[in-house]
Amino acid sequence: MGLLTNLKDSITRVTDRLFSESDPKRIGIYGPPNAGKTTLANRIARDWTGDAIGPESHIPHETRRARRKENVEIERNGQSVTIDIVDTPGVTTKVDYKEFLDHDLEKEDAVRRSREATEGVAEAMHWLREDVDGVIYVLDSTKDPFTQVNTMLIGIIESQDLPVLIFANKTDLDESNVGRIENAFPQHETVPLSALEGDNMDEVYDKVAEYFG
Amino acid sequence: MTMPEATPTDVDGVQIDLISGARMENLASMEKIRLILDGVREGNIVILEEGLTPDEESKLIEVTMTEISPDEFNGIEIETYPRSQTADRSFLDRLMGRESTKKLTVIGPANQIETLHKDENLISALVSRK
Ligand SMILES: Nc1nc2c(ncn2[C@@H]2O[C@H](COP(=O)(O)OP(=O)(O)O)[C@@H](O)[C@H]2O)c(=O)[nH]1
Ligand SMILES: [Mg+2]
């Protein structure tokens, strides 16, 4: 019986998808380097598809190309929303290859990484203007949110009239200060979480479904 | 033999370009970005009386990224005052696509300018020679 019901369920799901009017929404994960964007993208992808999206690292600019995970189906309150998640390189206005040398890389390797990083950021900016249906803006809640890059990026996102959620990440750390982020961007909803520990992911998925479904 | 402009390369100092809103008004987005980046890449500090639209800011970041090259150009430092006016934009402005861009903007080469302090009404920056 269970098998039949399951089969019927999955057929319904397939036909739902075939006949649904809208394609999956493409959700860009933006934010400064090291905020935890890839950790979050991996957690979402693992929770709903079983596999990850890309490597996480304490070295800034580990993600140097936008990476995409398509058809991530998130089920919420009996409903399901399908999104494509795009993990982007951290947005910045400067990249100095010498910073990579501090992480024990050879010059050649550091230069290559910084070149890839700049290409990735350019691409991410382009996507933001052309190809994204909604934005998750990830911030490290132990850091000061009042930076020029954050203000500028949020302004750019607002000018595109894209739905945006602000994620205050790393709440597992003692220095985490979610209130500071709420004060910095009072016009948007802030969701606290720890992408690393998986704290508050229920609210994360509720909000994702509500904003981007 | 008229040389109306100083030749800054001869002088050991930092050149500051103050660009009025009127000068920028009639330029296309890419022309504005070119004007800014040409100045910054020569090592100048560029101050815009009226700033850029969010769309132009996004293109500025994109073009900056494509021009970064090792040991030559590391990118830009940019600060605007007031921080953001997006929250103050009226519904009508949004509807009409009018952007509030009246914000003073300071842009400089990342390896030469360092923001020391910034609050609601003051930007303090340290500029070093090349
Ligand atoms: N303590 C803590 N560390 C985190 C959290 N999320 C990410 N990190 C760490 O922050 C660093 C940068 O993470 P990553 O996902 O690569 O950041 P990205 O540059 O924004 O993609 C890594 O060392 C992660 O393990 C979190 O919720 N809590
Ligand atoms: Mg990353």
Side-chain angles (χ1 to χ4, degrees), chain A residues 32-39 56-58 169-170 172-173 194-196:
Chain A
N34 273 326
K37 298 177 293 299
T38 303
T39 308
E56 307 154 16
S57 169
H58 65 286
N169 192 32
K170 309 199 183 183
D172 56 294
L173 299 176
S194 166
L196 190 67

Side-chain angles (χ1 to χ4, degrees), chain A residues 91-98 107 111 114-115 117-119 121-123 125-126 129 146 148 151-156 158-161 187, chain B residues 54-55 57-66 68-71 73-80 83-84 86-87 89 94 99 110 113 118:
Chain A
V91 172
T92 173
T93 58
K94 56 185 177 195
V95 176
D96 186 352
Y97 78 88
K98 295 196 194 77
K107 176 169 177 182
V111 167
S114 70
R115 179 154 295 135
T118 58
E119 285 168 7
V121 175
E123 186 181 73
M125 293 312 297
H126 200 82
R129 292 199 309 272
F146 282 106
Q148 182 63 30
T151 311
M152 219 160 38
L153 256 286
I154 296 287
I156 292 164
E158 287 169 349
S159 73
Q160 306 274 323
D161 279 324
Q187 69 274 37
Chain B
D55 198 57
E57 287 178 340
S58 128
K59 288 179 184 141
L60 176 65
I61 297 175
E62 190 178 335
V63 178
T64 299
M65 286 298 129
T66 63
I68 287 177
S69 92
D71 297 317
F73 179 56
N74 287 342
I76 60 173
E77 200 69 67
I78 174 169
E79 287 289 351
T80 58
R83 283 209 176 96
S84 166
T86 333
R89 253 167 84 199
R94 291 177 68 96
E99 310 278 352
I113 184 168
K118 182 181 166 181

